[in-house]
Amino acid sequence: MFSIKKLVNFMYSKVFFLYQPKFYYGELCAYEALLRGVFYEGSIIYYQELMSKHKKDLFFNYFIINKVISDLVKLNCSGIRKHPVSINISAKFISTLIDVGQLDLQKINSFNLKLEFNITEDEKINDFDVCNKNISLLSSFGISVSLVDFSAGISSLERLSYLNNIKFVKLDKSLTDNIENNPSQLFQLETIYRLIKEFKFEVIAKDVETQDAYYLLIQLGIGYFQGFKFGRPLLIP
């Protein structure tokens, strides 16, 4: 059988991760594994495009999850390993009953890895009942689930109402970009933030580029941040 690992190696000369730090009121609290691929001619492909190319392939999700686990175990990254590390997964993956036999649970337990799966907004969740069952299953293994790239659209709001036991909701950049110069956008964000908090989910703001925007978000009550302003992604040798 042509395995997903062989397929990925056939398409790309290298698949790797950068680890971007997350901060809680200025204190390092977690990392996100950012997927990257290198084509044989040397060009870089980013995780959004990689996930889009493979969004219908469930085994690609298992592949990248287990690759992050292997990285955390084998590489000299104990400083990262002691913090939660989030991994982006597709909506199709979380909407299909998870085959736990495909996950390297032994390494997760042996090395006390703290993992979080991020549901990306590149496609719709097909079955919220299955999704919530998966979230409960993953929770039993100590793996939390979050929703990323949350925007002001109807589909994003619908997800909030149907999902249970989500840990974080990461705001899309469109909600925070230039808010220091746009009072109506700030009001919209404040309304969305209060709605998310009604569901008892924590909120992460990403790609905040100015100090003024940072202060405004803190005043709203947002304490979790991620982006170049706070910490650049790390390449683990």
Side-chain angles (χ1 to χ4, degrees), residues 93-100 103 117 119 125 127-141 143 145 162-166:
F93 177 81
I94 202 67
S95 301
T96 307
L97 285 175
I98 291 175
D99 179 2
V100 294
L103 300 176
F117 290 173
I119 308 172
I125 294 175
D127 192 321
F128 283 98
D129 289 336
V130 171
C131 180
N132 286 318
K133 287 179 181 178
N134 282 332
I135 293 172
S136 296
L137 175 65
L138 292 169
S139 179
S140 70
F141 298 119
I143 302 172
V145 177
Y162 288 121
L163 290 174
N164 299 328
N165 300 316
I166 291 293

Side-chain angles (χ1 to χ4, degrees), residues 6-234:
K6 289 181 180 178
L7 176 61
V8 171
N9 289 337
F10 175 76
M11 294 180 64
Y12 317 111
S13 62
K14 185 178 182 182
V15 175
F16 64 98
F17 291 89
L18 300 176
Y19 291 87
Q20 185 170 32
K22 301 177 185 179
F23 293 85
Y24 180 65
Y25 289 109
E27 295 292 328
L28 177 65
C29 66
Y31 288 88
E32 179 180 353
L34 302 176
L35 178 65
R36 299 288 186 268
V38 182
F39 283 121
Y40 278 100
E41 73 272 16
S43 60
I44 299 292
I45 182 171
Y46 291 85
Y47 88 92
Q48 293 95 335
E49 189 174 351
L50 280 165
M51 292 298 290
S52 178
K53 286 178 178 291
H54 298 282
K55 64 183 179 181
K56 295 183 179 181
D57 189 344
L58 295 176
F59 291 100
F60 185 73
N61 289 266
Y62 290 111
F63 168 76
I64 61 174
I65 291 166
N66 287 325
K67 181 159 177 50
V68 169
I69 292 171
S70 295
D71 280 358
L72 295 176
V73 169
K74 293 190 297 186
L75 299 179
N76 183 22
C77 54
S78 58
I80 291 178
R81 199 163 60 206
K82 69 180 182 181
H83 295 286
V85 175
S86 59
I87 307 167
N88 292 314
I89 59 171
S90 68
K92 181 177 180 180
F93 177 81
I94 202 67
S95 301
T96 307
L97 285 175
I98 291 175
D99 179 2
V100 294
Q102 297 284 341
L103 300 176
D104 201 338
L105 296 176
Q106 182 178 359
K107 287 181 180 177
I108 293 175
N109 294 328
S110 297
F111 291 88
N112 193 29
L113 302 181
K114 306 174 185 67
L115 298 183
E116 173 188 323
F117 290 173
N118 291 335
I119 308 172
T120 58
E121 286 243 317
D122 58 344
E123 56 182 316
K124 293 181 178 180
I125 294 175
N126 296 323
D127 192 321
F128 283 98
D129 289 336
V130 171
C131 180
N132 286 318
K133 287 179 181 178
N134 282 332
I135 293 172
S136 296
L137 175 65
L138 292 169
S139 179
S140 70
F141 298 119
I143 302 172
S144 60
V145 177
S146 296
L147 184 65
V148 301
D149 299 327
F150 182 90
S151 63
I154 297 298
S155 61
S156 293
L157 296 174
E158 180 185 44
R159 287 188 180 201
L160 284 187
S161 64
Y162 288 121
L163 290 174
N164 299 328
N165 300 316
I166 291 293
K167 185 174 183 180
F168 287 104
V169 173
K170 184 188 292 186
L171 302 176
D172 187 75
K173 184 182 179 181
S174 62
L175 291 175
T176 59
D177 197 27
N178 202 37
I179 60 169
E180 66 273 31
N181 299 313
N182 193 334
S184 61
Q185 183 178 337
L186 179 60
F187 176 77
Q188 179 191 46
L189 177 58
E190 182 177 9
T191 303
I192 291 173
Y193 172 76
R194 289 178 178 176
L195 176 62
I196 295 172
K197 295 300 290 184
E198 285 292 321
F199 289 97
K200 310 299 182 185
F201 304 148
E202 294 292 344
V203 177
I204 300 178
K206 70 171 186 177
D207 298 329
V208 180
E209 298 178 353
T210 69
Q211 196 71 14
D212 288 341
Y214 175 57
Y215 285 143
L216 284 173
L217 293 170
I218 287 180
Q219 290 172 11
L220 284 183
I222 297 174
Y224 290 92
F225 294 90
Q226 180 182 354
F228 284 3
K229 174 179 172 57
F230 310 97
R232 290 185 172 273
L234 304 174

